Amino acid sequence: PRLLCPSTRPRPASSRGGDCLTRIYPRHFQFNETFLMAVAFHCHSGLYGTFMCNSEKQREEFDLPRKTYSFWAHMRANKDQFTNRMYEPTMGVLPSWRNCADIRNFVFWRGFYFRWNDTLTGA
């Protein structure tokens, strides 16, 4: 059964902006596009209590840590699947977010929106 908190509202998947950053600065992020796609998908899937409700306090009130699975535990158990092989911890701070705000760098996130259609993803 799916658990719903009283004030649950759809929340934006902030990882969608991360797709742009990982394309422009591929060595700055420890995790890969697969990780970003999993976060974006599971923010709304209802499969993990991690993304239910609007706060950690609400998750505790509904006892979700005991009743549901944690996305972060899943991620840690499958870390190799989510790790960016190009990541360099010494890269430091991102040079600029402005490059992602530039409309010339906007591209449709094919990996996420066409993930079930091999003819559109080129897989």
Side-chain angles (χ1 to χ4, degrees):
R2 186 173 170 156
L3 300 169
L4 294 175
C5 302
S7 60
T8 298
R9 295 181 303 264
R11 296 181 311 190
S14 59
S15 59
R16 292 176 189 162
D19 173 56
C20 175
L21 291 172
T22 58
R23 280 185 284 103
I24 295 174
Y25 306 113
R27 297 178 310 184
H28 282 74
F29 296 95
Q30 182 176 359
F31 301 103
N32 59 19
E33 182 184 30
T34 302
F35 171 76
L36 294 174
M37 289 179 11
V39 170
F41 177 76
H42 289 300
C43 276
H44 304 284
S45 73
L47 296 177
Y48 296 99
T50 307
F51 303 113
M52 292 181 178
C53 300
N54 293 312
S55 68
E56 188 63 32
K57 181 181 177 190
Q58 279 188 340
R59 284 187 281 282
E60 292 292 332
E61 288 173 1
F62 285 90
D63 200 21
L64 294 182
R66 188 181 66 76
K67 295 177 180 176
T68 64
Y69 295 105
S70 165
F71 175 78
W72 307 122
H74 167 70
M75 193 225 35
R76 283 189 297 274
N78 298 285
K79 193 172 181 177
D80 290 343
Q81 176 186 354
F82 296 122
T83 300
N84 176 4
R85 293 186 182 116
M86 294 187 296
Y87 174 62
E88 294 181 22
T90 58
M91 290 303 295
V93 179
L94 289 174
S96 171
W97 282 80
R98 277 182 256 157
N99 290 334
C100 270
D102 187 335
I103 192 70
R104 293 173 292 184
N105 290 321
F106 176 80
V107 294
F108 190 73
W109 190 6
R110 294 168 92 53
F112 181 75
Y113 292 105
F114 294 147
R115 63 190 173 275
W116 293 294
N117 190 329
D118 291 344
T119 60
L120 296 174
T121 60

